[in-house]
Amino acid sequence: MCLEGRAELTLTDSFAVCEDIREEDPEAFDALSTETWHLARAFAHYKPTMHTAHRRECVIQMHRDGHGIKSVKLNSHLHGFPMTTDFAAQEAWERGYEMLQEKAMSDKYAKVINYGGGECFLVNNHRVFHGRKNVLETPRTVLNTGVHEDTVWQ
């Protein structure tokens, strides 16, 4: 919820990005959805820089049916490396991750929302990448919170 000020929020359809990767480079898609990676977060704005460790997981998490995408993990604050010892799988993973980052920045998959004081909307963090392009009016006060999906669908 934006309490005051105005900003542009960019939403990117991560599932569409991943489906295009699946079509263009199935080996890279497979690596992103089967090879786990060690995930870490660096908070550079803290002095000294703070690092936290996260669990090992796949960038693309699949539904139990093995075909449908359940969640995609990409964040400019998250950095990782594949945990495989298979060189071919590592090359495919790195190729896929580079494609994912490049496509995530493409206007083809993005929608810009201009929002301001009193406006509120929900974002599914498992499906959508989000970020701010421009702060249009200051001061800008935004309230962010997490809600479990079961709460939303009650």
Side-chain angles (χ1 to χ4, degrees):
M1 170 177 249
C2 185
L3 301 177
E4 64 179 326
R6 296 202 67 74
E8 288 181 345
L9 181 71
T10 303
L11 304 176
T12 299
D13 184 349
S14 66
F15 286 17
V17 167
C18 290
E19 289 298 345
D20 281 358
I21 292 171
R22 186 191 322 233
E23 186 176 309
E24 294 168 25
D25 190 338
E27 183 184 32
F29 179 89
D30 185 55
L32 290 174
S33 63
T34 59
E35 299 294 334
T36 59
W37 66 319
H38 180 77
L39 204 55
R41 175 175 265 181
F43 296 98
H45 53 278
Y46 289 116
K47 300 296 182 218
T49 300
M50 182 177 79
H51 299 278
T52 60
H54 288 260
R55 65 187 177 272
R56 295 174 182 155
E57 56 189 15
C58 296
V59 175
I60 301 171
Q61 297 181 6
M62 304 298 287
H63 279 289
R64 285 183 228 164
D65 66 11
H67 184 72
I69 297 171
K70 179 180 177 183
S71 179
V72 182
K73 303 285 183 179
L74 179 70
N75 186 309
S76 61
H77 301 293
L78 298 177
H79 304 283
F81 53 89
M83 297 299 294
T84 182
T85 56
D86 179 355
F87 186 69
Q90 181 172 343
E91 281 187 328
W93 187 94
E94 289 174 355
R95 191 172 63 246
Y97 194 70
E98 187 174 309
M99 291 172 73
L100 184 62
Q101 289 179 313
E102 183 178 301
K103 289 178 181 300
M105 300 303 291
S106 168
D107 288 341
K108 175 181 177 182
Y109 306 98
K111 176 168 181 59
V112 176
I113 296 174
N114 187 328
Y115 72 111
E119 295 179 315
C120 177
F121 56 91
L122 299 175
V123 175
N124 179 344
N125 275 337
H126 295 280
R127 169 150 197 154
V128 176
F129 302 142
H130 57 90
R132 280 159 294 288
K133 280 202 169 202
N134 297 305
V135 174
L136 303 173
E137 183 183 307
T138 58
R140 183 177 71 93
T141 306
V142 176
L143 173 66
N144 291 317
T145 188
V147 178
H148 191 275
E149 64 183 304
D150 292 341
T151 303
V152 174
W153 301 117
Q154 287 182 0

